[in-house]
Amino acid sequence: MTGHTALFRFDAGPEIGGGHAVRCFTLARELEARGWTCRFAVGPETLKTVGSLADRAAECVAPDDMAVLTPVTVVIVDHYGLDIGDEKPWREIARHIVALDDLANRRHDCDVLIDQGLGRRAGDYAGLVPPECRLLLGPLYGLLRPEFAAMRETGLATRRPATVRRVLVAFGLSDPDNLTARALEGLAGKGLQVDVVLGAGAPHLDAVRNTAAVMSPPARVLCDVDDIAGLMVEADLAIGAFGTTSWERCALGLPTIGVIATDNQRDNARTLRDAGAALSLAWHAEVTAKDFANAVGRPLDLADMSRRAAQLCDGLGTGRVAGIIGDLAEGHSPSLRSATMADADLLLLWRNDQETRRQSKATNLVERAGHLSWLEGVLANPNRDIRVAEVNGRPVGSVRADRIGDTWMLSWMVAPEARGQGFGQRIVARVLEDLDGEIQAEVRVENRASARIASAVGMTPRDETDGLTTWIMRK
């Protein structure tokens, strides 16, 4: 047990759907697996909409009664209707505040902000969060349940058919605009196997069942499924909206025909389309059954769409976020400061350590005079950024980012006395929060520790040359 408590503030309902609840529950389960206690501040409509809360009624309070559960380690809020005015008073009951957002349209008082939207940049939140707030941006931090990472290898291995045979239709728990029925009408007569996923409380459930029953073959209508990942693995194509489920589909490499169901999905639709991972139709009110029929009838390069989707999200974001929240609670979060000439001797000591040299591209001992000249040049170069990582004021490593054209090249060192404590991953993950675009790192093939770090932060190996593996990611 950690002794830490997280209090989640979210809502769900027929109009706003269940996406906020799903990602909060996903994070809550991961924190509980790490020894945390989780509680929930939700409204009565949420209790009726989210069936899984029925088994946790004793852990729920009304939003106005949040103070009853004090003190808590962190309040985690996922709600478009709440902002800095609601969050500031929570400082009296919580040590930390974490906000989930994907609109970037209002101010927050938080220590960490998570926005899993593809293409989101730090500048989007300029002036909206405190200067010291950590920004966890992009699908790298997508809050996906563990089964998506567990089934990723299987899912990617099954993406072989050149034509669509099985389709998964899923527009969320409620689907208030009944996009599901329109999609089924478009799929009718094509002889496809179709699975439909809806919540048991969806307002148009009966109409969907009627439409599904007259299809040939009849479509399966499944309510409140526990194995959506399994259904995605079986499918060749998904039809759905561009909400949080987008990252679940990407993690399993599932090509998508998507509809913009709400205003906040426009950016996801655009970026997924531009990435080649999805075909975006239009705003939900403008999409017809014929549009769905035409889209499915188009020649789609399913293999290419799958590959591009899988590059965007690896399904491990929940663990990354839980780890960062845990570090925040324990005071283990690394801080990065720009290096100065005063760090020269410390950096030289780390660089000339025997194990560091053995795992480096250049294994020679570096002389102090040459090191001082090199560091002075790095600090004066606007395209090179070297930072020292500290935990509770103690230096634990360094990381360097060199901009070469449109690419950032990363390299890092962990202080010899700090090895084996997970600082390498924390340091690299921290600097990645500040970088955009393509990011690469060259790691010696035998350097398993750095390879594990690169993989853990979301990089993938691309090629191997002269004993060096190039790891790459794009944000």
Side-chain angles (χ1 to χ4, degrees):
M1 297 292 291
T2 66
H4 296 306
T5 299
L7 175 56
F8 287 82
R9 174 70 183 98
F10 63 89
D11 276 322
E15 293 301 318
I16 63 176
H20 302 285
V22 169
R23 57 189 183 186
C24 283
F25 264 114
T26 298
L27 182 55
R29 292 188 183 103
E30 179 65 25
L31 289 173
E32 287 171 338
R34 297 173 183 231
W36 284 61
T37 299
C38 293
R39 300 287 185 262
F40 308 93
V42 295
E45 187 69 32
T46 303
L47 290 171
K48 290 191 295 183
T49 302
V50 184
S52 52
L53 279 174
D55 297 331
R56 308 191 64 158
E59 302 162 1
C60 300
V61 297
D64 291 340
D65 296 329
M66 289 173 61
V68 173
L69 298 178
T70 59
V72 298
T73 309
V74 60
V75 170
I76 301 173
V77 56
D78 186 356
H79 200 300
Y80 295 149
L82 302 179
D83 59 16
I84 188 172
D86 304 279
E87 294 155 354
K88 273 190 175 298
W90 297 341
R91 293 289 183 186
E92 298 180 8
I93 66 171
R95 286 163 44 198
H96 307 288
I97 296 173
V98 174
L100 280 71
D101 195 4
D102 44 37
L103 300 179
N105 66 349
R106 64 200 186 282
R107 295 178 64 204
H108 291 283
D109 180 16
C110 56
D111 304 292
V112 176
L113 184 136
I114 305 159
D115 185 333
Q116 56 194 9
L118 181 64
R120 183 64 78 192
R121 298 289 182 261
D124 298 334
Y125 283 97
L128 299 180
V129 295
E132 65 277 10
C133 175
R134 291 185 66 175
L135 296 174
L136 309 183
L137 307 179
L140 187 69
Y141 304 103
L143 297 177
L144 275 60
R145 297 187 297 278
E147 56 263 33
F148 291 95
M151 299 188 73
R152 177 174 166 86
E153 184 175 348
T154 300
L156 298 183
T158 62
R159 304 291 173 217
R160 301 189 185 280
T163 58
V164 176
R165 298 171 301 184
R166 191 179 199 105
V167 179
L168 174 64
V169 179
F171 282 98
L173 291 176
S174 56
D175 186 19
D177 299 301
N178 202 12
L179 290 163
T180 302
R182 266 181 269 172
L184 291 181
E185 291 168 8
L187 293 172
K190 295 187 177 294
L192 300 171
Q193 293 178 291
V194 179
D195 293 322
V196 175
V197 173
L198 274 173
H204 303 290
L205 180 58
D206 289 339
V208 168
R209 282 175 169 155
N210 292 336
T211 302
V214 299
M215 295 177 66
S216 180
R220 291 196 305 170
V221 179
L222 309 169
C223 292
D224 297 333
V225 301
D226 294 324
D227 187 24
I228 187 68
L231 292 173
M232 288 184 178
V233 168
E234 293 175 354
D236 303 314
L237 179 72
I239 296 178
F242 286 110
T244 55
T245 307
S246 299
W247 314 125
E248 297 173 352
R249 298 189 296 251
C250 285
L252 297 177
L254 180 57
T256 298
I257 294 174
V259 175
I260 303 170
T262 59
D263 274 325
N264 64 298
Q265 294 180 7
R266 293 184 185 276
D267 284 343
N268 281 353
R270 174 182 52 79
T271 52
L272 285 166
R273 178 202 66 204
D274 292 348
L279 177 65
S280 177
L281 296 185
W283 177 244
H284 66 90
E286 302 167 359
V287 175
T288 67
K290 185 176 181 180
D291 292 326
F292 286 114
N294 291 340
V296 173
R298 289 176 54 175
L300 299 173
D301 189 338
L302 298 178
D304 186 61
M305 291 178 71
S306 174
R307 178 181 61 81
R308 291 173 180 271
Q311 290 176 344
L312 301 177
C313 180
D314 63 4
L316 299 173
T318 304
R320 294 187 182 104
V321 170
I324 289 170
I325 293 175
D327 284 347
L328 186 70
E330 296 288 345
H332 294 164
S333 296
S335 60
L336 297 180
R337 60 171 177 80
S338 296
T340 70
M341 290 303 296
D343 298 305
D345 287 335
L346 179 64
L347 294 174
L348 180 62
L349 179 68
W350 293 346
R351 167 60 182 80
N352 279 341
D353 170 74
Q354 181 177 339
E355 181 62 19
T356 301
R357 288 190 293 110
R358 191 174 70 85
Q359 301 291 3
S360 298
K361 291 169 62 177
T363 59
N364 60 298
L365 278 169
V366 175
E367 298 293 335
R368 187 172 188 272
H371 172 70
L372 293 175
S373 176
W374 170 85
L375 181 59
E376 188 174 15
V378 169
L379 298 180
N381 190 333
N383 291 317
R384 308 187 80 177
D385 183 14
I386 185 167
R387 305 190 200 181
V388 175
E390 297 180 336
V391 173
N392 297 325
R394 176 170 66 101
V396 295
S398 68
V399 60
R400 193 176 85 236
D402 296 338
R403 180 177 283 282
I404 304 173
D406 295 328
T407 300
W408 287 102
M409 293 295 300
L410 282 189
S411 59
W412 55 85
M413 294 189 297
V414 177
E417 67 275 12
R419 290 181 186 139
Q421 302 174 54
F423 289 128
Q425 179 180 333
R426 292 184 176 103
I427 293 168
V428 177
R430 183 66 185 85
V431 79
L432 286 175
E433 295 170 22
D434 299 332
L435 302 179
D436 296 325
E438 185 171 297
I439 302 159
Q440 297 184 16
E442 293 183 335
V443 177
R444 290 181 70 91
V445 172
E446 62 270 26
N447 188 349
R448 295 181 180 178
S450 286
R452 286 194 297 268
I453 290 170
S455 178
V457 300
M459 305 181 85
T460 56
R462 186 178 65 179
D463 51 40
E464 182 182 321
T465 305
D466 296 331
L468 296 172
T469 301
T470 299
W471 291 77
I472 188 170
M473 72 180 302
R474 188 166 188 85
K475 291 181 64 185

